[in-house]
Amino acid sequence: MRAEKRFTTQCVTRLRAEIRDAGENEVFALGYLDERGLVARIRVRARGNEDSVLAPGAGWGNGPAEGAGDEGPPDLLIHNHPSGFLTPSDNDLRIAGRAAGEGIGAYIVDNPVENVYVVAEPVRRRVRKTLESGSISAALREGGAVAGRLPAYEPRQAQLDLMELIIRGFNGDALVAAEAGTGVGKSFAYLLPAIHYALDNDERIVISTATITLQQQLFEKDIPLVTGALNKKIKAVLMKGRGNYLCRRRLTDTLREPDLEDLEREELERIAAWVETTHSGSRTDLSFIPAEVLWARICSEADLCMGMRCPERERCFVFSLRREAADARLLVVNHHLLFADLAARREGAGYDNTVVLPPFTRVIIDEAHTMEGAATSFFSDEWSRPGIFRQLGRLYRRRRAKRQGLLIRLAAIIPGMDEKIDSAATAIEQIREAADALDLAAGELCGGEGLFRLCPRREDAEGVLFPGLKDLRKKILVLTELIRELLEQVNPNDEDNAAIWEIKPVLRRLEAIGGICGSFVEYRERPHEVMWLEKRRSEGREAWVVFHVTPVDVAPGLREALFEPNKTVICVSATLTISGASREAWKEDGGSRQLGPFSYWAGRCGLNLVREREVFTGQFPSPFPYAASVLLAVPSDAPLPEEENYQAFVDRAAAQLASAAGGSALILFTSYQSLRSAYSAALPELTELGIRCLKQGDDDRTRLLQTFLADESSVLFATDSFWEGVDAPGDTLRLVILCRLPFRTPNDPVFEARREALEQRGGNSFMDLSLPESVMKFKQGFGRLIRRSGDSGVVAVLDGRLLRKRYGEFFLRSLPETKTCFGEFKTILKTTEDFLYPGV
């Protein structure tokens, strides 16, 4: 091929001169393409022989190409053959092969640079288009395209500043941590840059949230609003975990089961009718909430999927969703789904292929304060007696003297298996007995607190647990080996039988339970994990114990799976900082970068462990008028939680404050015991005033919130999860009571292990873990009150430590400026009433 078809005239002249200067010997150069695909610039890197050429990636970018700035990795490796014979040698092919693996081409030329042999074509690099902040931010300024579509729009400088930081993150391939107070409008601040970048550069961007509610708001409201205002089309797809979608095959198979109860069949038939009308197959589209146990029998699950063998593959909701996601440029997911994808990639699936999600390199994580908790949950394993019984019941059960289950269905396609089925039934019963005995022993260890951590200082527990754990693992092995022997006898023509596909994942889950038993027995050899027990109860059922295996520290895993492989990671939340509480002791072993008030959060999620990456941080305060609209009330005579009269004070104070407010209150606790006590004390007084009392646990969380929002005078008594994610604007919520500073209970096994790990590294477990975690949750609880600019109300804190302990200042400094009332409770009560009903 003639060289002028691959090189510019100037580059031919330059390369010819380099060869001449080298005495007509070999010259090795890096080549850079112009927009036409011609080699326009070169950088000579070696002269003399083939062994001098640099391996791909080594030393590149150490100086500019002739006539250009730093070009980064080259597009081509170029060298000459002085003989004029251009056929590549074995060494040429070896070098070209290594280069091709990185998308780099290879050319061989003659000494006059008249002819070229293309050993490997270069991959044309797309020119990246950076974001122009002025034109993007104009959409959110007064009169802008997006601003014009927002009712009662008010310019927010904090929102524009946040968007500018996010644009810098995209343009600089950087990591971003941004705290945006309530009302800043963080969703639009990241959606505008994300949409522009995705369209301008034809890249996929993943947006991850902590809740399905926020997912749906982004997908159904915010993204359509932005794209409509900008008159831009972008394909966005909402993805949830597989368990949220129905599996047509499993529904059909379940409906065919002869042993269904009448209520089960009725519910399944309602779902079957819905399947003919739904486009998504998502459980949230159902007009009713199906029984959890029943949904588990018909939902999509990865290890139950028959893939291309499935008779319903052409109509599969999950396959359809994945096809849609393959060419989408915005993926809206939840944290659990994101971590499932990242974990698989980190464990060897690679970053260039579709795993759980299609490949991506840029991520926005909303509600980023939940990252550690979400990652901890995802990377933990657990089993319980009810859980193992469910798996065993799927294999074999007796109902009214009739044998049922997957093993009976399997026996129908393997003649003469009655004896084996009897043996399996015996093995299943033995597992049940072993699980019962182990659950009983574990329950005694949990005691009244309902928690127990297996650790060397409680080695007496080994004698209580280990025999039962080993026995259960052994009995599981007997059953799984027996069933695998049965499966080996299946005729190849029957391998697609649904019963076989259902049995295999049950075996894997039973084996996983055996693995967890093994982890408990080997806990001394697994210092990076916590083995702990939790006793659970539900109304109408006897208590049971959950066996947990939880990682002590998820930060290194998040660094390796999330922050290091991706070009841009944007983390946003209303609570990421601890004001005035950044301490040198938060450093990890080996040192870590300090990120000021973000240091605690960054240390827990691994951002501070990232080396040689640019990290941008910013705090963007809420535009809401807290100083005029919020009263922070703290009784100076409130007892300390450890004092005998504390609960009695909370019971009385919560009832009187809710009564003074006329309801419209959210009362937040840190324990169910305290909640039940306060609820029982307040119920007669508030009911007499016509105020409806709602209690967490009386109904599903979603329905409970809907009831609370629908009744403006109601009072909701709640704990833990209700400290965040409650959005009750207007008169629905005018009083938030935080009964106790939200410190984690000292006996929490995972928290205890993390405290110990921190102290072993020389840290202070209270100042470096307990306090900052509590402050962040306190900020979340406080943030429930003001959700719109016109909202107003009172936040009352009934914990004496806030004013009487030195660390109370950390909590107070974490809040925006408000009106305050720090006095005796009778003063607090009157001031609250006067603030909510001025002039009355």
Side-chain angles (χ1 to χ4, degrees), residues 686-727:
L686 297 180
T687 302
E688 187 175 340
L689 294 172
I691 297 172
R692 185 178 184 181
C693 293
L694 305 169
K695 174 167 59 74
Q696 183 178 352
D698 286 348
D699 202 348
D700 167 80
R701 185 183 193 275
T702 301
R703 284 194 294 264
L704 194 63
L705 272 177
Q706 289 172 345
T707 304
F708 175 62
L709 294 173
D711 186 345
E712 284 191 357
S713 67
S714 62
V715 175
L716 175 57
F717 293 73
T719 184
D720 199 33
S721 64
F722 285 79
W723 284 71
E724 56 183 273
V726 176
D727 191 3

Side-chain angles (χ1 to χ4, degrees), residues 247-260 265 268 297-298 304 306 310-312 394 397 406 409 496-502:
C247 173
R248 291 178 183 270
R249 177 189 64 78
R250 297 190 73 201
L251 173 62
T252 301
D253 291 342
T254 305
L255 277 167
R256 288 173 181 164
E257 292 181 12
D259 56 320
L260 288 172
R265 185 169 297 280
L268 286 169
R297 293 166 64 182
I298 60 175
L304 289 168
M306 295 177 67
C310 180
E312 295 283 2
R394 294 189 62 203
R397 60 192 179 275
L406 293 169
R409 291 165 58 187
D496 288 345
N497 186 285
I500 296 172
W501 284 88
E502 295 278 337

